[in-house]
CSV table of all heavy atoms in Angstrom, one decimal:
chain,number,residue,atom,x,y,z
A,174,GLY,N,98.8,96.8,124.9
A,174,GLY,CA,100.1,96.5,124.6
A,174,GLY,C,100.5,96.4,123.2
A,174,GLY,O,101.4,95.7,122.8
A,175,ARG,N,99.7,97.1,122.3
A,175,ARG,CA,100.0,97.1,120.9
A,175,ARG,C,100.8,98.2,120.4
A,175,ARG,O,101.1,98.3,119.2
A,175,ARG,CB,98.6,97.0,120.2
A,175,ARG,CG,97.8,95.8,120.5
A,175,ARG,CD,96.4,95.8,119.9
A,175,ARG,NE,96.5,96.0,118.4
A,175,ARG,CZ,95.4,96.2,117.7
A,175,ARG,NH1,94.2,96.3,118.3
A,175,ARG,NH2,95.5,96.3,116.4
A,176,VAL,N,101.1,99.2,121.2
A,176,VAL,CA,101.9,100.4,120.8
A,176,VAL,C,103.3,100.3,121.3
A,176,VAL,O,103.5,100.0,122.5
A,176,VAL,CB,101.2,101.6,121.3
A,176,VAL,CG1,101.9,102.9,120.9
A,176,VAL,CG2,99.7,101.7,120.8
A,177,SER,N,104.2,100.7,120.5
A,177,SER,CA,105.6,100.7,120.9
A,177,SER,C,106.2,102.1,120.6
A,177,SER,O,105.8,102.8,119.7
A,177,SER,CB,106.5,99.7,120.2
A,177,SER,OG,106.5,99.9,118.8
A,178,LEU,N,107.2,102.5,121.4
A,178,LEU,CA,107.9,103.8,121.3
A,178,LEU,C,109.4,103.4,121.2
A,178,LEU,O,109.9,102.9,122.2
A,178,LEU,CB,107.6,104.7,122.5
A,178,LEU,CG,108.2,106.1,122.5
A,178,LEU,CD1,107.8,106.9,121.3
A,178,LEU,CD2,107.9,106.8,123.8
A,179,ALA,N,110.0,103.8,120.1
A,179,ALA,CA,111.4,103.4,119.9
A,179,ALA,C,111.6,101.9,120.1
A,179,ALA,O,112.5,101.5,120.8
A,179,ALA,CB,112.3,104.2,120.8
A,180,ARG,N,110.7,101.1,119.6
A,180,ARG,CA,110.7,99.7,119.6
A,180,ARG,C,110.5,99.0,120.9
A,180,ARG,O,110.7,97.8,121.1
A,180,ARG,CB,112.0,99.1,119.0
A,180,ARG,CG,112.3,99.6,117.6
A,180,ARG,CD,113.5,98.9,117.0
A,180,ARG,NE,113.7,99.3,115.6
A,180,ARG,CZ,114.7,98.9,114.8
A,180,ARG,NH1,115.6,98.1,115.4
A,180,ARG,NH2,114.8,99.3,113.6
A,181,ARG,N,110.0,99.8,121.9
A,181,ARG,CA,109.7,99.3,123.2
A,181,ARG,C,108.2,99.4,123.5
A,181,ARG,O,107.7,100.5,123.3
A,181,ARG,CB,110.5,100.0,124.3
A,181,ARG,CG,112.0,99.8,124.2
A,181,ARG,CD,112.8,100.4,125.4
A,181,ARG,NE,112.5,99.7,126.6
A,181,ARG,CZ,113.1,100.0,127.8
A,181,ARG,NH1,114.0,101.0,127.8
A,181,ARG,NH2,112.7,99.3,128.9
A,182,ILE,N,107.6,98.3,123.9
A,182,ILE,CA,106.1,98.4,124.2
A,182,ILE,C,105.8,99.4,125.3
A,182,ILE,O,106.5,99.4,126.3
A,182,ILE,CB,105.6,97.0,124.5
A,182,ILE,CG1,105.8,96.0,123.4
A,182,ILE,CG2,104.1,97.0,124.9
A,182,ILE,CD1,105.0,96.3,122.2
A,183,VAL,N,104.8,100.2,125.0
A,183,VAL,CA,104.4,101.2,126.0
A,183,VAL,C,102.9,100.8,126.4
A,183,VAL,O,102.1,100.7,125.6
A,183,VAL,CB,104.4,102.6,125.4
A,183,VAL,CG1,103.8,103.6,126.4
A,183,VAL,CG2,105.8,103.0,125.0
A,184,THR,N,102.7,100.7,127.7
A,184,THR,CA,101.4,100.5,128.3
A,184,THR,C,100.9,101.6,129.2
A,184,THR,O,99.7,101.6,129.6
A,184,THR,CB,101.3,99.1,129.0
A,184,THR,OG1,102.3,99.1,130.0
A,184,THR,CG2,101.5,98.0,128.0
A,185,ASP,N,101.8,102.5,129.5
A,185,ASP,CA,101.5,103.6,130.4
A,185,ASP,C,100.9,104.8,129.6
A,185,ASP,O,101.6,105.4,128.8
A,185,ASP,CB,102.7,104.1,131.2
A,185,ASP,CG,102.4,105.2,132.2
A,185,ASP,OD1,101.3,105.6,132.3
A,185,ASP,OD2,103.4,105.6,132.9
A,186,LEU,N,99.6,105.1,129.9
A,186,LEU,CA,99.0,106.2,129.1
A,186,LEU,C,99.6,107.6,129.4
A,186,LEU,O,99.4,108.5,128.7
A,186,LEU,CB,97.5,106.2,129.5
A,186,LEU,CG,96.7,105.0,129.0
A,186,LEU,CD1,95.3,105.1,129.5
A,186,LEU,CD2,96.7,105.0,127.4
A,187,GLN,N,100.4,107.7,130.5
A,187,GLN,CA,101.0,109.0,130.8
A,187,GLN,C,102.4,109.1,130.2
A,187,GLN,O,103.1,110.1,130.5
A,187,GLN,CB,101.1,109.1,132.4
A,187,GLN,CG,99.8,109.1,133.1
A,187,GLN,CD,98.8,110.1,132.5
A,187,GLN,OE1,99.2,111.3,132.4
A,187,GLN,NE2,97.6,109.7,132.2
A,188,THR,N,102.8,108.2,129.4
A,188,THR,CA,104.1,108.3,128.7
A,188,THR,C,104.0,109.5,127.7
A,188,THR,O,103.1,109.6,126.9
A,188,THR,CB,104.4,107.1,127.9
A,188,THR,OG1,104.4,106.0,128.8
A,188,THR,CG2,105.7,107.2,127.1
A,189,TRP,N,105.0,110.4,127.8
A,189,TRP,CA,105.1,111.6,127.0
A,189,TRP,C,106.1,111.4,125.9
A,189,TRP,O,107.1,110.7,126.0
A,189,TRP,CB,105.5,112.8,127.8
A,189,TRP,CG,104.4,113.3,128.7
A,189,TRP,CD1,103.9,112.7,129.9
A,189,TRP,CD2,103.5,114.4,128.5
A,189,TRP,NE1,102.9,113.4,130.4
A,189,TRP,CE2,102.6,114.5,129.5
A,189,TRP,CE3,103.4,115.4,127.4
A,189,TRP,CZ2,101.6,115.4,129.6
A,189,TRP,CZ3,102.5,116.4,127.5
A,189,TRP,CH2,101.6,116.4,128.6
A,190,VAL,N,105.7,111.9,124.7
A,190,VAL,CA,106.6,111.7,123.5
A,190,VAL,C,106.8,113.1,122.8
A,190,VAL,O,105.9,114.0,123.0
A,190,VAL,CB,106.0,110.7,122.5
A,190,VAL,CG1,105.9,109.3,123.2
A,190,VAL,CG2,104.7,111.2,122.0
A,191,ASP,N,107.8,113.2,122.1
A,191,ASP,CA,108.1,114.4,121.3
A,191,ASP,C,107.8,114.0,119.8
A,191,ASP,O,108.5,113.2,119.2
A,191,ASP,CB,109.6,114.8,121.4
A,191,ASP,CG,109.9,116.1,120.7
A,191,ASP,OD1,109.1,116.4,119.8
A,191,ASP,OD2,110.8,116.8,121.1
A,192,LEU,N,106.7,114.6,119.3
A,192,LEU,CA,106.3,114.2,118.0
A,192,LEU,C,107.3,114.5,116.9
A,192,LEU,O,107.2,114.0,115.8
A,192,LEU,CB,105.0,114.9,117.7
A,192,LEU,CG,103.7,114.3,118.4
A,192,LEU,CD1,102.5,115.2,118.3
A,192,LEU,CD2,103.4,112.9,117.7
A,193,SER,N,108.2,115.4,117.2
A,193,SER,CA,109.2,115.8,116.1
A,193,SER,C,110.2,114.7,115.9
A,193,SER,O,110.8,114.7,114.8
A,193,SER,CB,109.9,117.1,116.6
A,193,SER,OG,110.7,116.9,117.7
A,194,ASN,N,110.4,113.8,116.8
A,194,ASN,CA,111.4,112.7,116.6
A,194,ASN,C,111.0,111.3,117.1
A,194,ASN,O,111.7,110.4,117.0
A,194,ASN,CB,112.8,113.1,117.2
A,194,ASN,CG,112.6,113.4,118.7
A,194,ASN,OD1,111.7,112.8,119.4
A,194,ASN,ND2,113.5,114.2,119.2
A,195,ALA,N,109.8,111.2,117.6
A,195,ALA,CA,109.4,109.9,118.2
A,195,ALA,C,109.1,108.9,117.1
A,195,ALA,O,108.6,109.2,116.0
A,195,ALA,CB,108.1,110.1,119.0
A,196,VAL,N,109.5,107.6,117.4
A,196,VAL,CA,109.2,106.5,116.5
A,196,VAL,C,108.2,105.7,117.1
A,196,VAL,O,108.4,104.9,118.0
A,196,VAL,CB,110.5,105.7,116.2
A,196,VAL,CG1,110.2,104.5,115.3
A,196,VAL,CG2,111.6,106.6,115.6
A,197,ILE,N,106.9,105.9,116.7
A,197,ILE,CA,105.8,105.2,117.3
A,197,ILE,C,105.3,104.1,116.3
A,197,ILE,O,105.3,104.3,115.1
A,197,ILE,CB,104.6,106.1,117.6
A,197,ILE,CG1,105.1,107.3,118.5
A,197,ILE,CG2,103.5,105.4,118.2
A,197,ILE,CD1,104.1,108.4,118.7
A,198,ALA,N,105.0,102.9,116.8
A,198,ALA,CA,104.5,101.9,115.9
A,198,ALA,C,103.3,101.2,116.6
A,198,ALA,O,103.1,101.2,117.8
A,198,ALA,CB,105.6,100.8,115.7
A,199,VAL,N,102.4,100.7,115.8
A,199,VAL,CA,101.2,99.9,116.3
A,199,VAL,C,101.3,98.5,115.6
A,199,VAL,O,101.4,98.4,114.4
A,199,VAL,CB,99.9,100.6,115.9
A,199,VAL,CG1,98.7,99.7,116.3
A,199,VAL,CG2,99.8,101.9,116.6
A,200,ASP,N,101.3,97.5,116.5
A,200,ASP,CA,101.5,96.1,116.0
A,200,ASP,C,102.8,96.0,115.1
A,200,ASP,O,102.8,95.3,114.1
A,200,ASP,CB,100.3,95.7,115.2
A,200,ASP,CG,99.0,95.6,116.1
A,200,ASP,OD1,99.1,95.4,117.3
A,200,ASP,OD2,97.9,95.8,115.5
A,201,GLY,N,103.8,96.8,115.5
A,201,GLY,CA,105.1,96.7,114.8
A,201,GLY,C,105.2,97.5,113.6
A,201,GLY,O,106.3,97.6,113.0
A,202,LYS,N,104.1,98.1,113.1
A,202,LYS,CA,104.1,98.9,111.9
A,202,LYS,C,104.2,100.4,112.3
A,202,LYS,O,103.4,100.9,113.0
A,202,LYS,CB,102.8,98.7,111.1
A,202,LYS,CG,102.7,97.3,110.6
A,202,LYS,CD,101.4,97.1,109.8
A,202,LYS,CE,101.3,95.6,109.4
A,202,LYS,NZ,100.0,95.4,108.6
A,203,PRO,N,105.2,101.1,111.8
A,203,PRO,CA,105.4,102.5,112.1
A,203,PRO,C,104.2,103.4,111.7
A,203,PRO,O,103.6,103.1,110.7
A,203,PRO,CB,106.6,102.9,111.2
A,203,PRO,CG,107.3,101.7,110.9
A,203,PRO,CD,106.3,100.6,110.8
A,204,VAL,N,103.9,104.3,112.6
A,204,VAL,CA,102.8,105.2,112.4
A,204,VAL,C,103.4,106.5,111.8
A,204,VAL,O,104.2,107.2,112.3
A,204,VAL,CB,102.1,105.6,113.7
A,204,VAL,CG1,101.0,106.6,113.4
A,204,VAL,CG2,101.5,104.3,114.3
A,205,ILE,N,102.9,106.8,110.6
A,205,ILE,CA,103.4,108.0,109.9
A,205,ILE,C,102.2,109.0,109.8
A,205,ILE,O,101.1,108.6,109.5
A,205,ILE,CB,103.8,107.6,108.4
A,205,ILE,CG1,105.0,106.6,108.5
A,205,ILE,CG2,104.3,108.9,107.7
A,205,ILE,CD1,105.4,106.1,107.2
A,206,ALA,N,102.6,110.3,110.1
A,206,ALA,CA,101.5,111.3,110.0
A,206,ALA,C,100.8,111.3,108.7
A,206,ALA,O,101.4,111.4,107.6
A,206,ALA,CB,102.1,112.7,110.3
A,207,GLU,N,99.5,111.2,108.8
A,207,GLU,CA,98.7,111.2,107.6
A,207,GLU,C,98.5,112.6,107.0
A,207,GLU,O,98.5,113.6,107.8
A,207,GLU,CB,97.3,110.6,107.8
A,207,GLU,CG,97.3,109.1,108.0
A,207,GLU,CD,95.9,108.5,107.9
A,207,GLU,OE1,95.0,109.2,108.1
A,207,GLU,OE2,95.8,107.3,107.5
A,208,LYS,N,98.3,112.7,105.8
A,208,LYS,CA,97.9,114.0,105.2
A,208,LYS,C,96.5,114.4,105.8
A,208,LYS,O,95.6,113.6,105.8
A,208,LYS,CB,97.8,113.9,103.7
A,208,LYS,CG,97.4,115.2,103.0
A,208,LYS,CD,97.3,115.0,101.5
A,208,LYS,CE,96.8,116.3,100.8
A,208,LYS,NZ,96.6,116.2,99.4
A,209,ARG,N,96.4,115.6,106.2
A,209,ARG,CA,95.1,116.1,106.8
A,209,ARG,C,94.1,116.1,105.7
A,209,ARG,O,94.3,116.6,104.6
A,209,ARG,CB,95.3,117.4,107.4
A,209,ARG,CG,96.3,117.5,108.6
A,209,ARG,CD,95.9,116.5,109.6
A,209,ARG,NE,96.7,116.6,110.8
A,209,ARG,CZ,96.8,115.7,111.8
A,209,ARG,NH1,96.2,114.5,111.6
A,209,ARG,NH2,97.6,115.9,112.8
A,210,VAL,N,92.9,115.6,106.1
A,210,VAL,CA,91.8,115.6,105.1
A,210,VAL,C,90.6,116.3,105.8
A,210,VAL,O,90.3,116.1,107.0
A,210,VAL,CB,91.4,114.1,104.8
A,210,VAL,CG1,90.1,114.1,103.9
A,210,VAL,CG2,92.5,113.4,104.1
A,211,TYR,N,89.9,117.2,105.0
A,211,TYR,CA,88.8,117.9,105.5
A,211,TYR,C,87.7,117.8,104.5
A,211,TYR,O,87.9,118.3,103.3
A,211,TYR,CB,89.1,119.4,105.8
A,211,TYR,CG,90.4,119.6,106.7
A,211,TYR,CD1,91.6,119.7,106.1
A,211,TYR,CD2,90.2,119.7,108.1
A,211,TYR,CE1,92.7,119.8,106.9
A,211,TYR,CE2,91.4,119.8,108.9
A,211,TYR,CZ,92.6,119.9,108.3
A,211,TYR,OH,93.7,120.0,109.1
A,212,LEU,N,86.6,117.2,104.8
A,212,LEU,CA,85.5,117.0,103.9
A,212,LEU,C,84.2,117.6,104.3
A,212,LEU,O,83.9,117.7,105.6
A,212,LEU,CB,85.3,115.5,103.6
A,212,LEU,CG,86.4,114.7,103.1
A,212,LEU,CD1,86.0,113.2,103.0
A,212,LEU,CD2,86.9,115.2,101.8
A,213,MET,N,83.3,118.0,103.4
A,213,MET,CA,82.0,118.5,103.7
A,213,MET,C,81.0,117.6,103.0
A,213,MET,O,81.2,117.2,101.8
A,213,MET,CB,81.9,119.9,103.1
A,213,MET,CG,80.4,120.4,103.1
A,213,MET,SD,80.2,121.9,102.0
A,213,MET,CE,81.2,123.1,102.9
A,214,LEU,N,80.0,117.2,103.7
A,214,LEU,CA,78.9,116.3,103.2
A,214,LEU,C,77.6,117.1,103.4
A,214,LEU,O,77.3,117.7,104.4
A,214,LEU,CB,78.8,115.0,104.0
A,214,LEU,CG,77.5,114.2,103.7
A,214,LEU,CD1,77.5,113.6,102.3
A,214,LEU,CD2,77.5,113.0,104.8
A,215,ASN,N,76.7,117.0,102.3
A,215,ASN,CA,75.3,117.5,102.5
A,215,ASN,C,74.6,116.2,102.9
A,215,ASN,O,74.2,115.4,102.0
A,215,ASN,CB,74.8,118.1,101.2
A,215,ASN,CG,73.4,118.6,101.4
A,215,ASN,OD1,72.7,118.4,102.4
A,215,ASN,ND2,72.9,119.4,100.4
A,216,LYS,N,74.4,116.0,104.2
A,216,LYS,CA,73.8,114.8,104.7
A,216,LYS,C,72.3,114.7,104.3
A,216,LYS,O,71.5,115.6,104.6
A,216,LYS,CB,73.9,114.8,106.2
A,216,LYS,CG,73.2,113.6,106.9
A,216,LYS,CD,73.1,113.7,108.4
A,216,LYS,CE,72.3,112.6,109.1
A,216,LYS,NZ,70.9,112.6,108.7
A,217,PRO,N,71.9,113.6,103.7
A,217,PRO,CA,70.5,113.4,103.4
A,217,PRO,C,69.7,112.9,104.7
A,217,PRO,O,70.4,112.4,105.6
A,217,PRO,CB,70.5,112.3,102.4
A,217,PRO,CG,71.9,112.1,101.9
A,217,PRO,CD,72.7,112.6,103.1
A,218,ARG,N,68.5,113.1,104.7
A,218,ARG,CA,67.6,112.6,105.8
A,218,ARG,C,67.6,111.1,105.8
A,218,ARG,O,67.7,110.5,104.7
A,218,ARG,CB,66.2,113.2,105.6
A,218,ARG,CG,65.3,113.0,106.8
A,218,ARG,CD,64.0,113.7,106.5
A,218,ARG,NE,63.1,113.7,107.7
A,218,ARG,CZ,62.0,114.4,107.8
A,218,ARG,NH1,61.7,115.3,106.8
A,218,ARG,NH2,61.2,114.4,108.8
A,219,GLY,N,67.6,110.5,107.0
A,219,GLY,CA,67.5,109.0,107.1
A,219,GLY,C,68.8,108.3,107.3
A,219,GLY,O,68.8,107.1,107.6
A,220,LEU,N,69.9,109.0,107.4
A,220,LEU,CA,71.2,108.4,107.7
A,220,LEU,C,71.6,108.7,109.1
A,220,LEU,O,71.4,109.8,109.6
A,220,LEU,CB,72.3,108.9,106.7
A,220,LEU,CG,72.1,108.8,105.2
A,220,LEU,CD1,73.3,109.3,104.5
A,220,LEU,CD2,71.8,107.3,104.9
A,221,VAL,N,72.2,107.7,109.8
A,221,VAL,CA,72.6,107.9,111.1
A,221,VAL,C,74.1,108.3,111.1
A,221,VAL,O,74.9,107.8,110.2
A,221,VAL,CB,72.4,106.7,112.0
A,221,VAL,CG1,70.9,106.4,112.3
A,221,VAL,CG2,73.1,105.4,111.4
């Protein structure tokens, strides 16, 4: 119950939205599309 759509709490996972105009918020804070980030790591041995 932490997500709202157009200021109304949404709990139904089958709720469909239009990303071009939907106003989605989590805990009352609007969710704004983040800049896409793509990174490459040379992973060392020993890290999970």
Side-chain angles (χ1 to χ4, degrees):
R175 297 174 58 187
V176 179
S177 64
L178 178 62
R180 298 185 179 182
R181 298 186 64 177
I182 296 296
V183 175
T184 56
D185 184 358
L186 293 173
Q187 298 306 310
T188 300
W189 287 76
V190 300
D191 187 336
L192 284 166
S193 62
N194 56 27
V196 179
I197 304 173
V199 176
D200 296 332
K202 297 180 180 179
V204 175
I205 300 171
E207 287 196 335
K208 179 182 178 182
R209 297 305 189 197
V210 177
Y211 308 90
L212 302 177
M213 168 196 294
L214 166 69
N215 185 348
K216 175 191 175 296
R218 191 171 186 169
L220 303 183
V221 292

